[in-house]
Amino acid sequence: MTTDTASRTDELQRRWAGAMMDNYGTPALALSGGKGVTVTDVDGREYLDFFAGIAVSALGHAHPAIVEAVTRQVGQIAHTSNLVLHEPGVRLAERLQALLGRPDARVFFANDGTEANECAVKLSRLHGRAMDPSGNRLRIVSTENSFHGRTLGSLSVTGNAAKREPFEPLPGPVSFVPFGDVQALREAVDGTVSAVFLEPTQGEGGVVPAPAGYLRAARELCDATGVLLVIDEVQSGIGRTGHWFASLAAGVVPDVLTLAKGLGGGLPIGACIAFGDAAGLFGPGSHGSTFGGNPVSCASALAVIDTIESQGLLDNVTTTGAALEGGLRAIDNPLVATVRGSGLWWGVQLTSACAAAVESAARDRGVLVNAVKADVLRLAPPLIVSESQVAEAVRVLAEALDAVSAAQSEADQSQGNGLPA
Ligand SMILES: *Cc1c(COP(=O)(O)O)cnc(C)c1O
């Protein structure tokens, strides 16, 4: 890099800081394009994208099926409002019913994950009120370390105090139990509870899969108590784990299932899907969204589902996911504590809070991964990734880890035995 010309990235970062709220901190990367699993930044550098815009870009970037579907739809009609129906929305809801194998499922389309969960919170309220009209059965049980979104309803069931507390008071009551602990769940679900909210794997929590049998135990508990089981598949759904739905793969059908991230393949859409009695809780006027499930996002989601099916991408997730797991497990570096996940969705638990440094070192070497927590890296490449791209990303990640651990031991030595000065 020359010193007299600031990069396009630098310039955009300055302008960003002068115009945007600081809720994200100024991002290190400014992207201008992408093709497949590769993205290009505004200075022309290319990266292998093992982050996919937070597990969103299921078909990678500029996939011809999405480009074609979105272009056609936007040229036809882009927006109708929800006072008017349109075929892409009906078709997408029917496709979801078919994938779920449940013609009794009913779908509400939102714009993103938090709105899908907001809808689930509202359904929980109606369910609790139907069970106990006195209003003493409105409690939601959620899990510690969970993430369900940033709007107040979804935030109220998010088990991360640092994200929640500045915005209290939040809707409630909500109880949080340790994730994966069946006994704690049993104790928390009493006669004041309307719904249980669970992720099959805690994504933002650091890619932490539920222990085997946990979702089934939750299903049995909810059946026995009449409590709604709400499964948040915003991150796990639509192929990420090698299955259309992680809950169904675990043998569990929720009462309410939420989707978003991968569903639109990069266009904004979320879905709240209810089964059985829960599917009938809303009546005309209960809930709404001006933009939710707009024809363009629905066309994109249909292209995503069609392509996953026609290209056999669930199988690709399983085979390339196994290669990714194997590659990550073979990394020999003292910074790596454990590797966990499934499909194309992996968390690398580090032994110290250096995930941001590893993310940055990998980016400098041309691979995007995500420091999902201070001590956890998340990998979530597009579902179209190839085995050679997996091998390349793992090689670069191992180099980045080596660079960070070398820098750390150098710093430790200069401080003497690694003890704080
Ligand atoms: C990302 C995420 C959300 C929130 O989705 P947004 O689209 O950011 O509102 C909710 N639940 C889970 C499990 C998520 O991963």
Side-chain angles (χ1 to χ4, degrees), residues 197-414:
F197 275 61
L198 293 176
E199 294 158 271
T201 286
Q202 292 186 325
E204 299 308 301
V207 195
V208 182
Y214 183 61
L215 293 185
R216 257 180 210 275
R219 179 67 277 174
E220 283 163 19
L221 177 64
C222 289
D223 283 340
T225 53
V227 165
L228 285 187
L229 178 61
V230 179
I231 306 247
D232 180 347
E233 294 230 31
V234 165
Q235 195 160 156
S236 60
I238 311 296
R240 181 58 47 198
T241 68
H243 306 278
W244 286 109
F245 307 99
S247 52
L248 268 62
V252 169
V253 181
D255 299 300
V256 178
L257 179 127
T258 57
L259 297 172
K261 291 195 167 86
L263 177 61
L267 273 88
I269 187 167
C272 178
I273 307 171
F275 305 88
D277 291 346
L281 285 167
F282 282 162
S286 299
H287 189 47
S289 166
T290 301
F291 292 104
N294 74 83
V296 177
S297 292
C298 289
S300 185
L302 284 164
V304 168
I305 292 171
D306 286 346
T307 304
I308 290 175
E309 224 162 48
S310 67
Q311 305 293 305
L313 292 182
L314 296 182
D315 289 341
N316 189 58
V317 172
T318 301
T319 51
T320 55
L324 181 55
E325 175 183 11
L328 293 173
R329 291 201 191 284
I331 291 177
D332 180 17
N333 186 292
L335 287 176
V336 177
T338 53
V339 171
R340 60 188 176 231
S342 61
L344 283 172
W345 196 24
W346 290 90
V348 179
Q349 175 71 55
L350 303 173
T351 50
S352 68
C354 62
V358 179
E359 176 192 295
S360 160
R363 186 172 56 242
D364 290 346
R365 291 164 175 77
V367 171
L368 303 185
V369 296
N370 164 240
V372 63
K373 297 188 84 170
D375 58 352
V376 183
L377 292 168
R378 168 174 51 185
L379 288 85
L383 311 186
I384 59 166
V385 75
S386 69
E387 287 201 39
S388 63
Q389 288 166 327
V390 164
E392 172 66 4
V394 169
R395 187 188 66 72
V396 170
L397 180 61
E399 268 182 30
L401 284 158
D402 285 344
V404 171
S405 60
Q408 277 192 353
S409 42
E410 228 170 82
D412 287 351
Q413 267 162 21
S414 69

Side-chain angles (χ1 to χ4, degrees), residues 47-366:
Y47 306 85
L48 210 46
D49 184 5
F50 267 57
F51 162 59
I54 319 189
V56 165
S57 304
L59 305 187
H61 303 277
H63 192 285
I66 292 183
V67 172
E68 196 276 325
V70 165
T71 306
R72 184 165 29 82
Q73 189 58 47
V74 82
Q76 219 163 309
I77 188 164
H79 175 76
T80 61
S81 91
N82 287 301
L83 303 177
V84 171
L85 62 78
H86 53 81
E87 191 176 354
V90 175
R91 267 180 45 216
L92 179 58
E94 289 171 345
R95 282 307 293 278
L96 291 169
Q97 285 177 324
L99 291 177
L100 290 157
R102 290 288 295 259
D104 69 320
R106 291 293 179 274
V107 182
F108 171 82
F109 286 122
N111 293 291
D112 60 11
T114 199
E115 286 186 4
N117 286 326
E118 204 68 29
C119 177
V121 169
K122 280 186 157 183
L123 289 174
S124 305
R125 283 273 168 100
L126 295 184
H127 178 69
R129 232 174 228 121
M131 284 203 298
D132 180 354
S134 74
N136 290 320
R137 190 151 189 183
L138 301 177
R139 178 176 298 277
I140 292 175
V141 174
S142 180
T143 59
E144 292 166 8
N145 197 43
S146 62
F147 185 79
H148 298 292
R150 301 287 198 159
T151 53
L152 293 186
S154 301
L155 186 60
S156 74
V157 295
T158 288
N160 180 322
K163 290 187 169 72
R164 237 181 22 246
E165 279 167 0
F167 302 102
E168 289 174 349
L170 293 168
V174 178
S175 306
F176 295 98
V177 295
F179 182 63
D181 182 338
V182 174
Q183 191 50 37
L185 195 59
R186 283 201 188 108
E187 281 161 18
V189 175
D190 60 18
T192 69
V193 172
S194 62
V196 169
F197 275 61
L198 293 176
E199 294 158 271
T201 286
Q202 292 186 325
E204 299 308 301
V207 195
V208 182
Y214 183 61
L215 293 185
R216 257 180 210 275
R219 179 67 277 174
E220 283 163 19
L221 177 64
C222 289
D223 283 340
T225 53
V227 165
L228 285 187
L229 178 61
V230 179
I231 306 247
D232 180 347
E233 294 230 31
V234 165
Q235 195 160 156
S236 60
I238 311 296
R240 181 58 47 198
T241 68
H243 306 278
W244 286 109
F245 307 99
S247 52
L248 268 62
V252 169
V253 181
D255 299 300
V256 178
L257 179 127
T258 57
L259 297 172
K261 291 195 167 86
L263 177 61
L267 273 88
I269 187 167
C272 178
I273 307 171
F275 305 88
D277 291 346
L281 285 167
F282 282 162
S286 299
H287 189 47
S289 166
T290 301
F291 292 104
N294 74 83
V296 177
S297 292
C298 289
S300 185
L302 284 164
V304 168
I305 292 171
D306 286 346
T307 304
I308 290 175
E309 224 162 48
S310 67
Q311 305 293 305
L313 292 182
L314 296 182
D315 289 341
N316 189 58
V317 172
T318 301
T319 51
T320 55
L324 181 55
E325 175 183 11
L328 293 173
R329 291 201 191 284
I331 291 177
D332 180 17
N333 186 292
L335 287 176
V336 177
T338 53
V339 171
R340 60 188 176 231
S342 61
L344 283 172
W345 196 24
W346 290 90
V348 179
Q349 175 71 55
L350 303 173
T351 50
S352 68
C354 62
V358 179
E359 176 192 295
S360 160
R363 186 172 56 242
D364 290 346
R365 291 164 175 77

